[in-house]
Amino acid sequence: MATRTCTTFSSLLLLLFLFSAANFAPVTSSDHTYEYLLSSQPFFHTTVEKQSHFRFYWHDILSGPNPTAVTVAEAPGTNTSSTFFGLVAVIDDALTVGPDANSKVVGRAQGLYASAGLKNVGLLMLENFVLTDGKYNGSTISIMGHNPIFSAEREMPIVGGSGLFRFARGYVQLRTYWFDTKSLDAVVEYNVYVNHY
């Protein structure tokens, strides 16, 4: 009787061990179709997700001796297009706490925008907000989306981040604060709603 109880108990322990191992082992491809997939396992955060709301002023300067946005490509018909279709610019725009150019700089918007609308002015925006102030120094928020620049309010998605914003998601709301029709310089208010851990 004692031997049978011990065997049953051993079998039960073995099953429990196998079940536990199956739940915690990385899932890999058995047919090696995806040899580049090293592991795939459930992901659990040790901290609670929170949403932070930031407000930045984005200074896009095309004029003067030190522009922060420069054209790097144009299509053959860009100059005759009413929407500047095909224009691509690279940016390194200051992000400040207030709309004034002399306001405290807390980061840079680095990336590019392209005029992607044939009939309506709309920019494809790809930019990283590279923060430089305080505990956020070195962290980034990545934004990619459609920006119909003549709309009063616009919205673009946050597609990722780094540093304190790893696994970031969310959205930004934009509103033009100031725009010069001759130089095309602009100041845009960005309200950034970012979910992160």
Side-chain angles (χ1 to χ4, degrees):
M1 181 76 173
T3 305
R4 186 174 177 189
T5 304
C6 185
T7 304
T8 305
F9 182 70
S10 297
S11 298
L12 191 60
L13 280 177
L14 180 61
L15 281 172
L16 185 60
F17 172 76
L18 290 174
F19 179 72
S20 297
N23 281 338
F24 293 107
V27 177
T28 57
S29 175
S30 59
D31 63 0
H32 302 290
T33 303
Y34 302 106
E35 57 191 45
Y36 52 86
L37 176 64
L38 301 180
S39 70
S40 179
Q41 50 197 355
F43 177 71
F44 299 101
H45 290 286
T46 56
T47 57
V48 176
E49 185 178 28
K50 60 188 168 189
Q51 184 178 83
S52 296
H53 176 198
F54 298 95
R55 181 174 56 219
F56 303 115
Y57 288 87
W58 179 89
H59 298 261
D60 195 48
I61 308 302
L62 286 78
S63 65
N66 299 306
T68 62
V70 294
T71 300
V72 295
E74 291 182 354
T78 296
N79 290 329
T80 58
S81 168
S82 62
T83 65
F84 299 104
F85 181 71
L87 180 137
V88 179
V90 174
I91 64 169
D92 186 5
D93 291 344
L95 297 173
T96 63
V97 296
D100 188 273
N102 296 318
S103 186
K104 180 181 178 181
V105 176
V106 293
R108 309 291 301 185
Q110 297 175 335
L112 60 89
Y113 53 75
S115 183
L118 276 170
K119 298 190 181 205
N120 298 306
V121 177
L123 300 180
L124 166 64
M125 306 278 297
L126 305 164
E127 55 187 335
N128 287 316
F129 280 14
V130 182
L131 303 180
T132 56
D133 188 56
K135 73 176 186 176
Y136 300 109
N137 184 26
S139 295
T140 66
I141 299 169
S142 300
I143 300 161
M144 182 180 82
H146 172 66
N147 180 3
I149 60 173
F150 294 122
S151 296
E153 277 202 356
R154 292 92 73 193
E155 185 173 300
M156 295 188 298
I158 293 171
V159 296
S162 66
L164 292 177
F165 301 109
R166 280 189 199 129
F167 302 107
R169 59 193 177 89
Y171 63 98
V172 296
Q173 290 180 326
L174 295 73
R175 186 174 61 84
T176 301
Y177 182 84
W178 173 80
F179 177 69
D180 186 302
T181 56
K182 289 185 181 176
S183 68
L184 304 182
D185 292 349
V187 176
V188 178
E189 178 184 334
Y190 272 73
N191 278 284
V192 178
Y193 299 89
V194 57
N195 293 6
H196 59 103
Y197 294 92

